[in-house]
Amino acid sequence: MIDKVTRKSMLIRPSGRSTDFISPSFGYGCLYNCSYCYMKRHKDKGLDVATNTGDILTAINNHAFFTPVDKPNQTHAEYTTYDISCNEDFALHAKHHEWEKIFEFFRDHPIAMGSFATKYVNPKLTTFDPQGKIRIRFSLMPQHKSDLHEPSTSKIINRIKAIDAFIDAGYDVHVNFSPIIVYDGWLEDYKYLFHMMNDYIEYKDQVLAECIFLTHNFKKHTVNLKRHPRTEIDLWVANRQESKISQYGGENVRYKLNMKAEYIKQFKLIHNKYIPWNTIRYIF
């Protein structure tokens, strides 16, 4: 279900990891049904699409000019970066948005750059040349876990193969290892994923990575138990997890800090062994 709405809040929040800031939502909700999606904790079904695109872009423009950001930083060497898709999958929903208007805004802006993560390879986007001012972060995980946790999303091999095509089209492209889920055999599965990246990515000097280990939520856990309980075998593992209050006050669970430190060490070890060219921007 798609609802057209007027976006009233023009709050621009600091991010600091993936981007410098998070823009007001062009879309709120998601038409995918991923087991771990935090968005589904707040909006279980459907998608709200903002009709006042111009107002949102005006807010970003004003913010960019009047909010100083020290550059270079790990989000970008020159531009102030805005996540335009924190609450949706923008590539999947692009046909519901004025996406060309949004991309043109960032392409032509002297300071601001747009960014979003996606699990969908949308070939329509390659018809637009953003001249490096839009960053797409393709989300990657082992395929058999994607089949379970990200039903109906683009196949992992297709996301990997799309990286070069989108760079050729003028996009800045990174990869987003998120969520990283720990289970028996997870490191072997990631070795295979890294081999695929080695085989199919030519622009190895351009593709950076962000790495985010799983954070789960009791509300989503209870919904999953009713709708697709198999997913919770991976997501709700009490002996590995502890409570966590999120940056914005939500009650979640994450891997225990001492265990997570070891998982991060193990992940970085194999990542840097098999794809040392894929610089990790941050990992947590």
Side-chain angles (χ1 to χ4, degrees), residues 143-158:
Q143 182 61 62
H144 72 106
K145 292 302 180 183
S146 178
D147 292 338
L148 176 61
H149 295 288
E150 305 172 342
S152 303
T153 59
S154 295
K155 293 297 184 183
I156 297 298
I157 186 60
N158 293 335

Side-chain angles (χ1 to χ4, degrees), residues 160-179:
I160 293 173
K161 288 181 177 180
I163 290 171
D164 283 354
F166 274 80
I167 292 175
D168 282 335
Y171 290 84
D172 184 39
V173 183
H174 289 183
V175 293
N176 176 29
F177 297 111
S178 174

Side-chain angles (χ1 to χ4, degrees), residues 11-229:
L11 177 66
I12 295 178
R13 296 180 292 161
S15 174
R17 285 191 173 122
S18 184
T19 55
D20 294 309
F21 299 100
I22 299 169
S23 81
S25 297
F26 292 98
Y28 189 84
C30 191
L31 300 181
Y32 279 144
N33 193 28
C34 300
S35 66
Y36 51 78
C37 178
Y38 81 92
M39 187 65 240
K40 294 290 186 181
R41 304 169 195 171
H42 308 293
K43 184 174 176 62
D44 188 38
K45 296 179 181 179
L47 171 68
D48 292 343
V49 176
T51 58
N52 53 332
T53 300
D55 294 339
I56 298 174
L57 295 178
T58 297
I60 296 171
N61 177 67
N62 293 340
H63 186 273
F65 279 113
F66 292 102
T67 307
V69 177
D70 290 333
K71 292 291 178 176
N73 63 25
Q74 65 84 16
T75 73
H76 196 274
E78 180 180 358
Y79 299 117
T80 300
T81 53
Y82 292 84
D83 193 326
I84 64 171
S85 183
C86 186
N87 294 318
E88 62 166 335
D89 189 312
F90 193 91
L92 176 67
H93 302 152
K95 65 182 180 181
H96 302 297
H97 292 296
E98 297 177 272
W99 69 270
E100 290 167 305
K101 178 178 179 178
I102 296 168
F103 285 14
E104 286 170 358
F105 166 84
F106 286 105
R107 181 196 64 195
D108 300 336
H109 202 283
I111 297 172
M113 175 179 178
S115 178
F116 61 90
T118 185
K119 304 174 189 71
Y120 178 58
V121 178
N122 186 342
K124 181 72 173 177
L125 301 186
T126 62
T127 64
F128 184 95
D129 178 5
Q131 300 176 18
K133 295 294 295 300
I134 296 289
R135 175 181 293 156
I136 294 181
R137 292 126 50 209
F138 283 107
S139 297
L140 302 178
M141 66 167 56
Q143 182 61 62
H144 72 106
K145 292 302 180 183
S146 178
D147 292 338
L148 176 61
H149 295 288
E150 305 172 342
S152 303
T153 59
S154 295
K155 293 297 184 183
I156 297 298
I157 186 60
N158 293 335
R159 301 181 209 177
I160 293 173
K161 288 181 177 180
I163 290 171
D164 283 354
F166 274 80
I167 292 175
D168 282 335
Y171 290 84
D172 184 39
V173 183
H174 289 183
V175 293
N176 176 29
F177 297 111
S178 174
I180 300 171
I181 303 171
V182 176
Y183 54 88
D184 291 344
W186 70 290
L187 291 172
E188 287 300 314
D189 287 346
Y190 273 95
K191 288 180 187 178
Y192 182 75
L193 175 62
F194 297 154
H195 282 304
M196 284 200 300
M197 293 174 65
N198 253 333
D199 290 343
Y200 289 103
I201 298 174
E202 293 294 330
Y203 297 112
K204 292 180 170 62
D205 60 330
Q206 298 185 41
V207 181
L208 280 60
E210 51 193 20
C211 310
I212 306 170
F213 278 77
L214 172 72
T215 298
H216 201 29
N217 176 275
F218 182 75
K219 181 178 178 181
K220 190 71 170 76
H221 167 63
T222 57
V223 172
N224 285 347
L225 287 176
K226 296 176 182 178
R227 295 183 182 173
H228 28 85

